[in-house]
Structure formats: structure tokens, C-alpha cells
Amino acid sequence: MRIHPKPKPSALTRALAALALGGLAFAAAPAHATAAASASAGPLEFEVVDLRPDDGQAASYRVDRGTWRPLGSGPFVSGTHGIVEHWDASQEMRHTYESDEDDAFLAPVAIEKSGAGHSSSASASETGLKVSTSLSSAGSSMASAGTWIGFYPGEVPDGYFGLELAPHSQLTVSFDAVVRISDGGLTDGANENASAMVDFTFEPVEPGAGSGPHWQRLAVSSGRDGLSEVQQKKQRMSLTILNDSDTFMHGSLDIDLVTLANVGISPAPEPGTWALMLAGLGGLAAVARRRRG
């Protein structure tokens, strides 16, 4: 596995970090305030069904874990990342960032970071992905892990097939997902909170290809002022694509996990704060992927 050196935060990363926080200012957090979140996904299971069992061609699929970039530049068409970030309560909004990444689908990565009042970790392997974040001092912490594989019609080199489905085959990808949050002593539910999310996308690449539903999300978030809270959700996430044509079809698969903890933040945000925060976190994940380029 190739470990990349710690990158220096770019101007874009700093802007996205500010977006993720929604422009909020930090205030001193009570000593007893805590927020924690975790998420897991896996292991992945692949099930193929023959749509025409009497046509003499067996249903099948295959997954290419090699690395390749379209036209030799830009983001890798497949990869895995783990990211942990922390913003403390200083006026400078001091920001730390650590990542581990690999250029193959479901590759092993692991990263963790801890300090006074905060701890975060993110990992991926053949058995799935896990992230966790805990916070007991004023600030914000985030952990993210993701793995993906894609295909660019017309630009693929010889030998690369990405995620490929044989003619007259249906492929279902499934895994067990768990999201959990806990908090205590938080007094501003709109700003002080814990959240965890698993996103799953699976879809055909070629235009006009048939498919079943191809996006799911499992999420949980705290926000009851002054009350200790524990929430956990479990779900069997399962998506299907089908190929009822006479040619091979290619698919795109993406799994992303994010946890976030906020403690000691004021004042109350504008109504769009949560949407801004999620947009910022999505942008940070995209930046992590582009850094491999």
C-alpha cells in the first residue's frame, strides 16, 4: 500500500472547512459536555442473478481493483480514503488534518488522531469501513472513510474493466450499516450535536442501461437541549443494477461514511447551516480524492 505524506491544507480545504462549520464562532464549552458518533459498513456481499437462464450464457460479474486515471490525469477511477479533522476553539480556528489513502477499491487504510478533549479514527479493509469521533472540549471533530470504483467509457486502457456485469445479469451489492451517536451536557441542540451518516451509491455507467434504485442513506443526529442522548440505527443497505442487454455493462459504486461532533458552539445558526455543513463535508471528501492526482 502506498502511504501519501500529510498534505498541507490548501486554500480550498480551508474554505471548505469554514463552510462545514457554517461560519459559526466557538465559545467555551462546559467541562461535562460530550459528543460522540460512529458509523460502520460491511462486509460487502455481491449476489448475481441470471435473467435468462436458458440462453446458454452464465450470469457473472467481476471487480477490478487495479489503479487507473482517465487520460493519465485527474482523480483515480477507483480508490479508498480515510480522513480525520479537528478544529479547536481558538480565535484562529486552528485546524488539523490527517489522511491515509490508496488507489484501489476497498484497499486497507487506517488513520487516527487524538488530543486534549478529542479523538477520531477512520479505517477501511476487505471487511468494510469504520469511522468514529468523540469530543469533550470546545470545537468540532470529523472522521470520514470512503471507497469507490468507476468506469469512463471510451477512455479505458486495455485490461481495465472496473465493475463489469455480463449480459442478461442482475447484480445486487449489500452490506450491514450501523450509525450511533451519544451526547451529554449539551445545551444548544442546533449547534452542539453529534451526527453519523452512511451513503451508498450504485449505478450503471453506460447511458440507457437499466437499473433498480441506486442511492441510499442511513443517518442519525442528536439535538435535544440539556438531555443526555444515545441513538443507534441499523440497516441492511442493498442496491441493484441489471443488464438485460446483449453486451457487457459497467457500474459505478461508492460508499461514504461521515461522523461529526460539535461542542461549545454559539450563537444559533441560520436555517441553512446544516445543509452548508453537509455540503462542506462532501467537498472535503472530494478534495481528498483529488489530492491523489
Side-chain angles (χ1 to χ4, degrees), residues 45-146:
E45 298 179 8
F46 295 81
E47 180 183 5
V48 64
V49 174
D50 195 336
L51 299 177
R52 298 186 186 179
D54 300 326
D55 67 356
Q57 180 172 343
S60 64
Y61 76 96
R62 57 179 182 167
V63 177
D64 188 342
R65 302 200 177 189
T67 62
W68 171 73
R69 297 181 184 185
L71 301 180
S73 63
F76 283 98
V77 76
S78 62
T80 305
H81 80 258
I83 301 171
V84 294
E85 303 202 49
H86 177 70
W87 298 265
D88 69 16
S90 68
Q91 291 299 317
E92 295 83 10
M93 197 175 75
R94 285 196 297 264
H95 168 242
T96 57
Y97 172 99
E98 300 282 350
S99 69
D100 186 16
E101 49 195 51
D102 197 288
D103 305 326
F105 177 68
L106 269 185
V109 301
I111 187 71
E112 59 181 306
K113 186 173 184 63
S114 60
H118 69 90
S119 177
S120 297
S121 65
S123 64
S125 69
E126 290 280 348
T127 59
L129 300 92
K130 295 181 180 180
V131 294
S132 66
T133 300
S134 63
L135 191 61
S136 59
S137 61
S140 181
S141 286
M142 186 270 285
S144 171

Side-chain angles (χ1 to χ4, degrees), residues 155-244:
E155 299 181 12
V156 295
D158 291 341
Y160 179 84
F161 52 83
L163 176 59
E164 185 179 77
L165 188 58
H168 313 304
S169 299
Q170 175 180 287
L171 179 63
T172 298
V173 180
S174 305
F175 58 86
D176 293 321
V178 181
V179 291
R180 186 180 190 276
I181 61 94
S182 62
D183 63 47
L186 305 184
T187 58
D188 185 352
N191 294 319
E192 295 186 313
N193 42 59
S195 59
M197 180 181 70
V198 176
D199 262 8
F200 179 27
T201 304
F202 182 39
E203 57 190 339
V205 172
E206 281 85 2
S211 73
H214 54 258
W215 180 81
Q216 288 183 354
R217 170 175 290 177
L218 180 64
V220 63
S221 181
S222 64
R224 296 190 297 167
D225 295 357
L227 298 176
S228 296
E229 185 174 12
V230 176
Q231 292 188 57
Q232 179 172 292
K233 293 182 180 179
K234 299 180 180 181
Q235 182 176 319
R236 180 70 171 175
M237 303 187 85
S238 181
L239 294 175
T240 298
I241 63 173
L242 60 90
N243 179 17
D244 202 19

Side-chain angles (χ1 to χ4, degrees), residues 151 153 163 203-210 247-251:
F151 192 86
L163 176 59
E203 57 190 339
V205 172
E206 281 85 2
T247 60
F248 283 87
M249 189 183 78
H250 301 91

Side-chain angles (χ1 to χ4, degrees), residues 13 15-21 85 142 274-287:
T13 300
L16 288 168
L19 176 61
L21 292 173
E85 303 202 49
M142 186 270 285
W274 274 104
L276 286 173
M277 184 193 71
L278 291 175
L281 293 178
L284 288 169
V287 166

